[in-house]
Amino acid sequence: MEFIHASKACASVGPYSHAVKAGNTYYLSGQVPFHPVSGVVVGANMAEQAAQTLTNLKAVLDEAGLKITDLVKTTVFLANWGDFEAFNEVYGNFLGDHRPARVCVETSNLAGGCLIEMDAICFVE
Ligand SMILES: CC(=[NH2+])C(=O)[O-]
């Protein structure tokens, strides 16, 4: 097992790694739209916060040597279900033609009052 720390993603806000490699499978911790340096939430709406969340997720992928096409599953937590379409727009643009499995739910009280958190699982052959 390998614990992965991504210097270009926002710092972990608890005792966890940005990602853990277990064999050919990578488990990425939840990413939120914190700025990687300041730790301040980036964006006042879903489009902006989703973009920053995916930027942070991409930093973890990069650190682990993974590509977007290695994503097999994501879990998405939205503070407001009314943001579903706005989230899908940003998410779809990020993925291009790739279509990982996904769970998307509304929840409350996300870290830092964020509108979104997303984790992911990757697999490499
Ligand atoms: C933000 C986050 N991933 C956590 O576990 O607190």
Side-chain angles (χ1 to χ4, degrees), residues 79-94:
N80 304 302
W81 192 252
D83 283 335
F84 183 70
E85 292 304 328
F87 164 70
N88 270 333
E89 174 87 19
V90 177
Y91 184 76
N93 288 337
F94 175 77

Side-chain angles (χ1 to χ4, degrees), residues 13-14 16 29-32 34 111 117:
V13 295
Y16 59 89
S29 294
Q31 286 297 316
V32 288
F34 293 160
E117 179 167 346

Side-chain angles (χ1 to χ4, degrees), residues 86-110:
F87 164 70
N88 270 333
E89 174 87 19
V90 177
Y91 184 76
N93 288 337
F94 175 77
L95 290 175
D97 293 333
H98 190 53
R99 290 288 178 270
R102 185 179 91 180
V103 169
C104 184
V105 296
E106 181 186 87
T107 186
S108 61
N109 297 325
L110 290 168

Side-chain angles (χ1 to χ4, degrees), residues 15-82:
Y16 59 89
S17 302
H18 283 128
V20 176
K21 178 181 187 295
N24 289 350
T25 304
Y26 294 72
Y27 299 89
L28 277 62
S29 294
Q31 286 297 316
V32 288
F34 293 160
H35 187 277
V37 176
S38 69
V40 172
V41 176
V42 175
N45 58 45
M46 175 53 67
E48 294 166 350
Q49 291 201 16
Q52 185 62 43
T53 298
L54 290 164
T55 295
N56 291 339
L57 185 85
K58 181 70 166 54
V60 179
L61 293 175
D62 289 346
E63 184 71 34
L66 297 166
K67 305 181 296 296
I68 288 172
T69 50
D70 294 323
L71 287 164
V72 295
K73 165 92 190 303
T74 63
T75 311
V76 183
F77 304 92
L78 302 179
N80 304 302
W81 192 252

